Amino acid sequence: QVQLVESGGGLVQAGGSRRLSCTASGRTFSDYAMGWFRQAPGKERELVAAISRSGRTTNYADSVKGRFTISRDNAKRSVYLAMNSLRAEDTAVYYCAADRLRVERVTVKVDEYDYWGQGTQVTVSS
């Protein structure tokens, strides 16, 4: 299995930028497709972005397209989420997750990810 640790959360002003990182330990990182999810108070957890094992395939929620970028560095066992033009509605706990099944495809379904980090809070002040 793999252990995931997120970092980079914090307080940012609306319109600002933030970069989240997720570092994995355990099994080979490149054996997993990865996703970033978020959960705001009172709301369901939702996919923000996902990336395939090689990094060639990505998928974004409509609400973040053009503002967020997911990337990965398999040598560093890390996946990143660059967030620009942040809005108050981006406020949430952000989680990274690993999917051991898919290779060059990605899934948007929460229950198809096998391993999760503990989350990092991002708060956007308006």
Side-chain angles (χ1 to χ4, degrees), residues 34-53:
M34 299 297 295
W36 281 101
F37 290 76
R38 66 186 180 187
Q39 188 166 18
K43 294 189 176 181
E44 293 187 352
R45 192 169 298 189
E46 63 175 0
L47 179 83
V48 176
I51 190 167
S52 63
R53 294 186 185 186

Side-chain angles (χ1 to χ4, degrees), residues 107-119:
T107 179
V108 302
K109 299 179 180 179
V110 172
D111 58 4
E112 292 187 344
Y113 285 81
D114 303 290
Y115 305 105
W116 292 82
Q118 82 289 348

Side-chain angles (χ1 to χ4, degrees), residues 4-68:
L4 304 171
V5 178
E6 302 98 335
S7 61
L11 178 64
V12 59
Q13 288 190 334
S17 299
R18 201 81 180 182
R19 187 190 193 215
L20 304 182
S21 299
C22 173
T23 301
S25 60
R27 293 194 61 178
T28 305
F29 180 67
S30 56
D31 285 347
Y32 300 88
M34 299 297 295
W36 281 101
F37 290 76
R38 66 186 180 187
Q39 188 166 18
K43 294 189 176 181
E44 293 187 352
R45 192 169 298 189
E46 63 175 0
L47 179 83
V48 176
I51 190 167
S52 63
R53 294 186 185 186
S54 69
R56 288 192 292 267
T57 302
T58 58
N59 191 338
Y60 293 91
D62 288 343
S63 59
V64 306
K65 282 181 181 176
R67 300 189 299 123
F68 290 12

Side-chain angles (χ1 to χ4, degrees), residues 22-24 29 72-80:
C22 173
T23 301
F29 180 67
R72 67 188 295 161
D73 185 335
N74 287 341
K76 294 184 178 180
R77 307 173 62 86
S78 295
V79 61
Y80 307 100

Side-chain angles (χ1 to χ4, degrees), residues 63-125:
S63 59
V64 306
K65 282 181 181 176
R67 300 189 299 123
F68 290 12
T69 302
I70 189 171
S71 62
R72 67 188 295 161
D73 185 335
N74 287 341
K76 294 184 178 180
R77 307 173 62 86
S78 295
V79 61
Y80 307 100
L81 186 68
M83 305 184 293
N84 297 312
S85 302
L86 283 161
R87 306 167 180 167
E89 53 264 39
D90 295 318
T91 295
V93 178
Y94 283 72
Y95 300 89
C96 71
D99 164 23
R100 63 185 173 183
L101 181 60
R102 275 146 283 272
V103 180
E104 273 311 310
R105 293 186 299 117
V106 296
T107 179
V108 302
K109 299 179 180 179
V110 172
D111 58 4
E112 292 187 344
Y113 285 81
D114 303 290
Y115 305 105
W116 292 82
Q118 82 289 348
T120 186
Q121 175 72 46
V122 174
T123 303
V124 183
S125 62

